[in-house]
């Protein structure tokens, strides 16, 4: 007898419909799984057999063949266990064959028949809604996450036995608990700009970066506050919109770092160590998995000690920074991951960190080697180059210049102006504006046009830099609530970018 059960496979951060076909016929007892499954899928034979028997179901002593269609898509993970078990129950007549017509099922089985949580439940619930299925059966631990998607009746099950009783009509699965509300982080635990003394210029640069989604590089001697400043960038970013929160939650669920409760409450802040590999930074591995740049989507990717990262790892960021996505191809799999994040980086100006001062003992060769660690194309994708120097003794003893709440209000006001201006376009912030949008929304006067032309003609700006300066100028105008970009706004944007890169990195 043949039965079919609907489940979903993860492909990148999306889900792909998979039909689990189960055929049971006369012959020597055997159990085969086909359909390009990985080792975890092949090992499901033992998990499913034991789970059925320990749940007081009969495992057919005949020839059992399971096909996971489409067969050309590689299937990864143990989330297909429940669908296989339900297919065997339907094909062997232990539950009605039509009882699974309106359900998708997903979950890992233990040997005792209990349902264990699996990754990517939010993406699977979205796939269920797209497929037009009315219900989704998932483990109890994943039910609240699946319930975040409207239009899908989610049923929480704790065991294969409970699922079997529901399919036979003996009892009804309870609905899932309501999704837990997104809880903001404890304000006492979030680093605040009120802890910073002095640094008026760097704080202004952080404000511009947060308001427009621009990349920022902090350079200066050790101990001057570069890391302290960068770690406070998330505290001034606007809260996640509903669509952004769902996307962040889906990515973290696929990566297995979401707790399964409610929507993500805070923008991601990822701080990988400088020993990270290129695949760890942008994604990859034998089975494509999200990297740190993907996990930072809609948040901040902070690279401390930027010059200590491997050159190939940093170069792997060039395309994600430009395109807002990364495509990872491994064998027969291609996964597309979104990478819209703010890059915040910090670096010392030379190996000893005291370039240009009497304490520096580095040679010219040391400086040249240090500069070569950061390529020109990577630096060209950074909008704000910020020199961070030691605050004076008076500044250290004085009160804070501002706090995160005040700056966040300024940032949110600027973001709201961008939202209204960029409504129904592909851009969500100034940093994401296309050349066409730039031409429409950034019209310079004669003075501003002359400034920009001279900067370009002298070779201090690339064509990419030309575009990025205009985006930063638009953000500075938004912070000032100015409807047009003036020459003053452009001059300020050029000031943040036209510091010689050699000086910013202590040539």
């Amino acid at each position: 007898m043949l039965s079919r059960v609907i489940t979903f496979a993860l492909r990148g951060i999306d889900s792909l419909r998979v039909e689990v076909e189960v055929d049971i016929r006369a012959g020597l007892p055997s159990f085969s799984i086909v359909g390009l499954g990985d080792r975890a899928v092949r090992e499901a034979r033992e998990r499913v057999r034991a789970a059925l028997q320990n749940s007081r179901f009969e495992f057919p002593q005949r020839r059992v063949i399971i096909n996971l269609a489409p067969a050309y898509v590689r299937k990864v993970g143990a989330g297909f266990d429940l669908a296989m078990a339900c297919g065997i129950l339907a094909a062997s007549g232990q539950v009605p064959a039509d009882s699974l017509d309106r359900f998708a099922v997903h979950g890992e089985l233990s040997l005792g028949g209990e349902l264990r949580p699996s990754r990517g439940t939010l993406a699977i619930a979205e796939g269920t809604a797209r497929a037009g299925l009315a219900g989704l059966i998932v483990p109890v631990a994943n039910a609240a996450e699946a319930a975040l998607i409207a239009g899908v009746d989610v049923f929480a099950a704790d065991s294969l036995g409970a699922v079997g009783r529901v399919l036979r009509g003996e009892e009804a699965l309870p609905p899932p608990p309501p999704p837990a509300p997104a809880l903001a982080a404890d304000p006492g635990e979030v680093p605040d700009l009120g802890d910073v003394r002095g640094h008026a210029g760097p704080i202004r640069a952080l404000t511009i970066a947060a308001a427009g989604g621009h990349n920022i590089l902090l350079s200066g001697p050790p101990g001057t506050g570069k890391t302290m400043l960068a770690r406070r960038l998330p505290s001034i970013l606007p809260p996640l919109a509903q669509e952004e929160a769902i996307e962040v939650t889906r990515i973290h669920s696929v990566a297995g770092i979401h707790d399964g409760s409610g929507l993500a409450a805070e923008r991601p802040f990822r701080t990988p160590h400088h020993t990270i590999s290129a695949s760890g930074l942008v994604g990859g591995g034998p089975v494509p998995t999200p990297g740190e740049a993907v996990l930072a989507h809609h948040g901040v990717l902070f690279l401390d000690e930027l010059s200590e990262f491997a050159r190939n790892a940093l170069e792997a960021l060039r395309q994600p920074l430009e395109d807002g996505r990364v495509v990872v191809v491994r064998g027969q799999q291609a996964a597309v991951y979104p990478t819209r994040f703010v890059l915040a980086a910090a670096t010392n100006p030379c190996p000893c960190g005291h370039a240009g001062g009497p304490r520096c003992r580095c040679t010219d060769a040391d400086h040249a080697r240090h500069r070569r660690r950061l390529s020109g194309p990577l630096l060209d994708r950074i909008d704000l180059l910020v020199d961070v120097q030691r605050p004076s003794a008076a500044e250290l003893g004085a009160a804070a210049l501002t706090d995160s709440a005040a700056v966040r209000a300024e940032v949110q006001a600027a973001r709201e102006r961008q939202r209204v201006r960029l409504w129904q376009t592909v851009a969500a912030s100034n940093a994401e504006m296309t050349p066409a949008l730039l031409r429409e929304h950034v019209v310079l006067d004669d003075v501003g046009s002359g400034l920009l032309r001279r900067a370009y003609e002298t070779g201090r700006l690339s064509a990419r830099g030309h575009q990025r300066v205009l985006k930063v100028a638009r953000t500075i105008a938004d912070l000032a609530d100015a409807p047009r970009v003036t020459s003053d706004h452009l001059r300020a944007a050029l000031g943040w970018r036209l510091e010689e890169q050699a000086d910013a990195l202590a040539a």
Side-chain angles (χ1 to χ4, degrees):
M1 184 175 178
L2 178 67
S3 68
R4 290 183 175 89
V5 183
I6 303 301
T7 187
F8 292 86
L10 294 176
R11 199 170 191 179
I13 63 169
D14 297 314
S15 58
L16 178 70
R17 175 172 171 154
V18 172
E19 287 193 7
V20 179
E21 302 173 327
V22 180
D23 180 72
I24 301 177
R25 63 184 57 231
L28 292 175
S30 64
F31 187 3
S32 302
I33 299 175
V34 297
L36 205 59
D38 70 344
R39 184 171 180 176
V41 174
R42 295 193 299 270
E43 290 174 347
R45 292 177 300 180
E46 305 307 322
R47 290 193 300 273
V48 170
R49 187 197 307 270
L52 285 168
Q53 293 173 339
N54 289 323
S55 299
R56 299 184 180 179
F57 293 112
E58 177 188 351
F59 187 84
Q61 295 303 309
R62 289 180 288 173
R63 187 180 181 188
V64 179
I65 302 176
I66 295 180
N67 178 44
L68 306 179
Y72 63 85
V73 175
R74 188 166 182 80
K75 320 303 187 306
V76 177
F80 302 97
D81 290 2
L82 181 59
M84 295 184 196
C86 290
I88 291 174
L89 291 177
S92 61
Q94 298 181 70
V95 300
D98 60 354
S99 60
L100 287 159
D101 289 348
R102 73 183 191 95
F103 289 114
V105 295
H106 194 266
E108 177 184 344
L109 286 171
S110 71
L111 297 182
E114 295 82 12
L115 284 177
R116 290 175 172 164
S118 53
R119 300 189 304 173
T121 302
L122 188 61
I124 289 163
E126 290 177 324
T128 302
R130 287 195 304 269
L133 297 171
L136 172 64
I137 300 177
V138 293
V140 171
N142 293 129
E145 180 182 332
L148 293 169
I149 303 302
V152 176
D153 292 330
V154 179
F155 299 97
D158 59 1
S159 67
L160 177 59
V163 175
R165 290 190 294 273
V166 169
L167 297 179
R168 288 198 296 255
E170 297 174 0
E171 64 179 59
L173 280 174
L183 299 177
D186 184 353
E189 298 178 357
V190 178
D192 194 280
L193 282 176
D195 302 327
V196 178
R197 297 296 182 266
H199 292 313
I203 289 176
R204 177 61 177 172
L206 287 178
T207 304
I208 296 170
H214 304 293
N215 303 322
I216 183 172
L217 172 63
L218 304 167
S219 177
T224 55
K226 303 184 297 296
T227 301
M228 184 181 191
L229 285 161
R231 288 188 177 277
R232 280 148 182 79
L233 180 56
S235 70
I236 61 175
L237 289 172
L240 286 167
Q242 178 77 7
E243 297 80 6
E244 293 174 332
I246 289 176
E247 196 166 10
V248 170
T249 304
R250 182 168 69 243
I251 291 171
H252 290 190
S253 176
V254 168
I257 61 175
H258 182 60
D259 62 7
S261 55
L263 285 177
E266 298 292 321
R267 291 186 179 272
F269 182 70
R270 306 296 298 184
T271 59
H273 192 261
H274 65 260
T275 57
I276 192 171
S277 65
S279 62
L281 195 55
V282 299
V287 176
T289 54
E292 290 292 325
V294 181
L295 297 177
H297 184 56
H298 290 316
V300 177
L301 177 65
F302 175 43
L303 303 183
D304 201 6
E305 304 297 344
L306 183 68
S307 59
E308 300 302 320
F309 281 77
R311 175 78 177 248
N312 67 326
L314 292 180
E315 295 306 295
L317 282 176
R318 285 161 55 176
Q319 182 184 358
L321 285 171
E322 196 71 21
D323 299 340
R325 65 173 193 163
V326 61
V327 181
V328 179
V329 180
R330 292 291 183 273
Q332 298 180 11
Q333 296 186 82
V336 180
Y337 298 113
T339 56
R340 290 290 182 189
F341 57 85
V342 174
L343 174 64
T347 185
N348 292 325
C350 69
C352 76
H354 300 286
R359 298 173 60 187
C360 183
R361 296 294 182 267
C362 298
T363 65
D364 290 343
D366 293 332
H367 285 286
R369 186 163 51 250
H370 187 76
R371 287 197 303 273
R372 283 196 298 270
R373 289 177 177 268
L374 304 179
S375 69
L378 178 65
L379 291 176
D380 201 39
R381 289 165 167 81
I382 296 177
D383 306 304
L384 303 166
L385 301 176
V386 185
D387 185 29
V388 183
Q389 296 297 324
R390 295 174 58 197
S392 67
E395 288 174 329
L396 282 178
L401 297 176
T402 186
D403 60 21
S404 291
V407 176
R408 190 189 308 114
E410 190 179 359
V411 168
Q412 286 182 273
R415 287 276 185 142
E416 177 61 21
R417 295 174 190 119
Q418 294 168 53
R419 187 191 67 80
V420 172
R421 184 171 60 250
L422 301 173
W423 178 251
Q424 293 185 333
T425 70
V426 296
S429 64
N430 286 336
E432 298 176 21
M433 284 195 293
T434 63
L437 289 173
L438 269 178
R439 289 191 295 271
E440 179 182 353
H441 297 296
V442 182
V443 180
L444 300 177
D445 55 23
D446 291 341
V447 175
S449 297
L451 280 171
L452 195 59
R453 183 174 58 254
R454 285 192 296 275
Y456 183 75
E457 289 176 347
T458 57
R460 304 178 75 191
L461 279 181
S462 65
R464 179 189 292 113
H466 181 281
Q467 301 280 312
R468 288 180 175 267
V469 164
L470 291 176
K471 295 177 183 180
V472 173
R474 180 64 264 181
T475 298
I476 294 173
D478 286 334
L479 286 168
D481 195 13
R484 293 177 57 88
V485 175
T486 67
S487 57
D488 289 338
H489 302 140
L490 183 65
R491 191 175 288 108
L494 286 168
W496 288 114
R497 187 176 183 95
L498 287 190
E499 296 177 83
E500 295 294 333
Q501 290 178 351
D503 290 339
L505 298 174

